[in-house]
Amino acid sequence: MTHCRDIEEQLSLYVDDLLDNAAATDVRTHVDHCAACAGLLADLAQIASTAKLLGPIAPPEHLYARLVTRLPPASGSGTGPTTGRPLWRWAGIAATVVAATGLIWFAIGMGQIDGPGAPSEAAMADGFESVASEVDLAVRHYERAVSDLETAARVAEGALDVDVATAVRSGLDTLDRAIAESRVALDADPASEPARISLFEALRRKVDLLQTTVVIVNDTNSTEAARPVTTTERAL
Amino acid sequence: MKHRLITLGTCASMALGLTSAGGRVFAASDRQSSTTAAQAAVLDQLSAWPGAGFPGDEQDLRAEVSDRQTHTLAIGANGSLELKTVTGQITCVAGTGSSATVEVIRRSRGRTDADAKQGLVDVRAEVDHKGERATVVAVYPTGRQPQPRPYSVDVSYVVTAPAGTRVSASSVSGDVSVRGVKGDVSASSVSGDVSIANAAQVGAAKSVSGNVSIVGLASSSAVNVGSVSGTVTFESVKATQVNAESVSGSISFVNGGTTTGVSFKSVSGNIDYDGEIGKGGRFEFASHSGNVRVTASAVGFELQASTFSGAIRTEPQQALRSATSSPRSVRGTVGDGSAVLVTTTFSGNITVITR
């Protein structure tokens, strides 16, 4: 039986027609019977369609480097993932995050419609409405990626060293405030580029921090056999 | 006794974005890998955490024993050295010759002498040396324990390596310091500070709650630095691209390092860049609520500054040509406009000073 999580990782490739026949058939079979994945597929197809109209938006080079560090090595390579490797368990989420990150760059890029050849005011108004819609869509996808990580990280936080737990908790609070403030700002001014950039940067950093937290705890569980927990740490 | 190679250094490094594609990762368990049950796997591991429920406290560990061993590793003048530990410091300095010396210092504390001694028996540093590559990894006993082991063991490394050595060093709760090494350096700590001085290449330097400092770097490649709550400091740094991120920690770049590209991002931390704006480079500074201050020594740049609710100030104002400005956005050209300087904040103030 094919699980939604497995299919979600394939949807972007399916939309881009990059799957082989067998994998594409699996996707079609699944979405025929799964409303959630069918909805996600429709969203991705809509984004892809809109993106084609806009032309390419190149993310900065360092973004690729960041993404590469978060992607698992290709299977079958000599350094491929070992069965049971903690980080590997998060590859699915990471893949979703990568897709969401792409959407975010897309959404940020959509706001950058000024400069030479800028559209008319009427077109701008339509554009802003469209941008707001696409921003909402990108946020929804991002939040989907965040939700699993957030739940796991919240539970896992108690196993962290007190200094790290404090830093993580404080960081997440800071990020949540930034997200909330940016959202309020975007509600008031959907065309605000600084607000949009702040929102997506905060979302991206939140995913980064949650991933880091979960991986650290995963490994802490397997390695701290020789370090007794302190009262302070237990209190967390 | 079955041992497990410490994966924490490796995987914490991966979490911090430091692991290279060639990095070797060891199995932490024999469970079937599953991306569909990720959350369940974490919860499962948490329930099996051997440290949970330990009846004692750190102050109960009154007995202490230690051990020092020195390893001489003939890795050549440009070899590779990977150092991983969990609780312990790593200090690496450049030396001469073609061999690295690694002093492994193990310190075990227990409730009794016997417990402390057992810690040294159970916890060791595994040295693997093949040709020009050597790895030193803290190895802890593994397996589900009915109770946590009654000892605490620190494993620290004091290293002298040939100047051309590629060094990858990671600790979870200890400081990491690398000085004078001219090979590529990657360093990370979860709760400790990371400092790299007088290096030639820094692939990455990251911490979660610790500070990160890069001093005296002259690099022809990109530098990636990050912290969550700690400060990030660059001093006298020259590199083609410098990327830094923080959540609440500040990011500062001082003493006039030259770069052709910068990307500094924080959420609540301040960003302070005082340096050259290289011809043709792209310099991006973004913060949500932190203030951004750029003091630019430059041939020229196109300025794009925008904020949602902060203030924007440019000095001297007459340096900015063809300016379009509003309280929340300033655009214009300084000098020949050959570089691009983009600053964005949500509520933080922006100050751009040209000299």
Side-chain angles (χ1 to χ4, degrees), chain B residues 96-153:
Chain B
T96 57
S98 59
S99 292
T101 59
V102 179
E103 185 181 23
V104 178
I105 304 165
R106 293 180 300 151
R107 184 181 65 126
S108 176
R109 292 177 298 138
R111 288 182 297 194
T112 65
D113 286 344
D115 287 342
K117 287 175 182 172
Q118 189 60 44
L120 289 189
V121 172
D122 290 350
V123 180
R124 55 196 169 81
E126 186 164 282
V127 179
D128 182 22
H129 175 209
K130 290 174 184 168
E132 293 189 335
R133 179 182 174 85
T135 305
V136 185
V137 183
V139 181
Y140 282 63
T142 187
R144 188 183 289 256
Q145 299 294 313
Q147 282 197 334
R149 294 175 178 82
Y151 52 70
S152 174
V153 183

Side-chain angles (χ1 to χ4, degrees), chain A residues 85 88 181 219 222 226 231, chain B residues 4 11 14 33 57 151 288:
Chain A
R85 170 179 154 189
W88 189 242
E181 289 172 0
D219 292 303
S222 63
T231 304
Chain B
R4 174 189 303 157
C11 291
M14 296 177 80
S33 174
D57 209 336
Y151 52 70
H288 178 80

Side-chain angles (χ1 to χ4, degrees), chain A residues 21-52:
Chain A
N21 288 338
T25 301
D26 286 345
V27 170
R28 278 193 296 271
T29 304
H30 181 87
V31 297
D32 282 347
H33 300 91
C34 176
C37 287
L40 180 57
L41 178 61
D43 286 344
L44 288 170
Q46 181 192 345
I47 288 173
S49 171
T50 310
K52 283 174 185 170

Side-chain angles (χ1 to χ4, degrees), chain A residues 64-74 85 87-88 91 94-95 98, chain B residues 14 21:
Chain A
Y64 288 114
R66 290 179 54 80
L67 295 180
V68 166
T69 63
R70 282 161 173 72
L71 287 170
R85 170 179 154 189
L87 187 62
W88 189 242
V98 167
Chain B
M14 296 177 80

Side-chain angles (χ1 to χ4, degrees), chain B residues 18 166-170 176 178 184-188 196 201-205:
Chain B
L18 298 186
R166 295 187 302 278
V167 175
S168 171
S170 61
V176 177
V178 181
D184 187 55
V185 175
S186 290
S188 70
I196 300 173
Q201 294 181 66
V202 177

Side-chain angles (χ1 to χ4, degrees), chain A:
Chain A
M1 176 168 177
T2 310
H3 295 280
C4 292
R5 187 73 56 81
D6 300 325
I7 291 297
E8 284 175 9
E9 296 166 19
Q10 304 286 319
L11 288 178
S12 288
L13 298 173
Y14 180 81
V15 168
D16 291 331
D17 200 21
L18 295 174
L19 290 178
D20 61 35
N21 288 338
T25 301
D26 286 345
V27 170
R28 278 193 296 271
T29 304
H30 181 87
V31 297
D32 282 347
H33 300 91
C34 176
C37 287
L40 180 57
L41 178 61
D43 286 344
L44 288 170
Q46 181 192 345
I47 288 173
S49 171
T50 310
K52 283 174 185 170
L53 295 176
L54 291 173
I57 298 166
E61 268 187 35
H62 66 266
L63 178 64
Y64 288 114
R66 290 179 54 80
L67 295 180
V68 166
T69 63
R70 282 161 173 72
L71 287 170
S75 60
S77 71
T79 56
T82 310
T83 301
R85 170 179 154 189
L87 187 62
W88 189 242
R89 296 194 177 107
W90 298 94
I93 293 172
T96 312
V97 169
V98 167
T101 305
L103 290 175
I104 281 172
W105 278 103
F106 168 75
I108 291 174
M110 285 195 71
Q112 298 170 343
I113 51 179
D114 50 358
S120 66
E121 283 188 18
M124 288 280 280
D126 290 344
F128 289 145
E129 194 172 318
S130 172
V131 166
S133 165
E134 299 300 343
V135 166
D136 284 345
L137 183 59
V139 169
R140 284 208 309 275
H141 284 299
Y142 219 89
E143 287 176 336
R144 189 177 304 182
V146 163
S147 62
D148 279 349
L149 283 167
E150 196 164 37
T151 305
R154 193 181 298 123
V155 175
E157 207 178 303
L160 288 173
D161 173 84
V162 62
D163 288 343
V164 179
T166 301
V168 167
R169 194 172 297 168
S170 172
L172 289 173
D173 287 347
T174 300
L175 289 163
D176 284 339
R177 277 196 301 275
I179 291 167
E181 289 172 0
S182 303
R183 279 184 163 156
V184 169
L186 275 174
D187 284 345
D189 181 4
S192 171
E193 190 176 327
R196 188 168 53 250
I197 290 172
S198 271
L199 174 61
F200 286 121
E201 275 299 320
L203 283 167
R204 184 184 64 78
R205 293 307 306 272
K206 185 172 181 179
V207 168
D208 264 1
L209 185 52
L210 289 170
Q211 283 180 306
T212 300
T213 304
V214 170
V215 173
I216 289 170
V217 170
N218 236 344
D219 292 303
T220 303
N221 294 334
S222 63
T223 58
E224 293 217 343
R227 190 183 72 84
V229 66
T230 65
T231 304
T232 310
E233 287 168 321
R234 282 202 306 276
L236 283 172

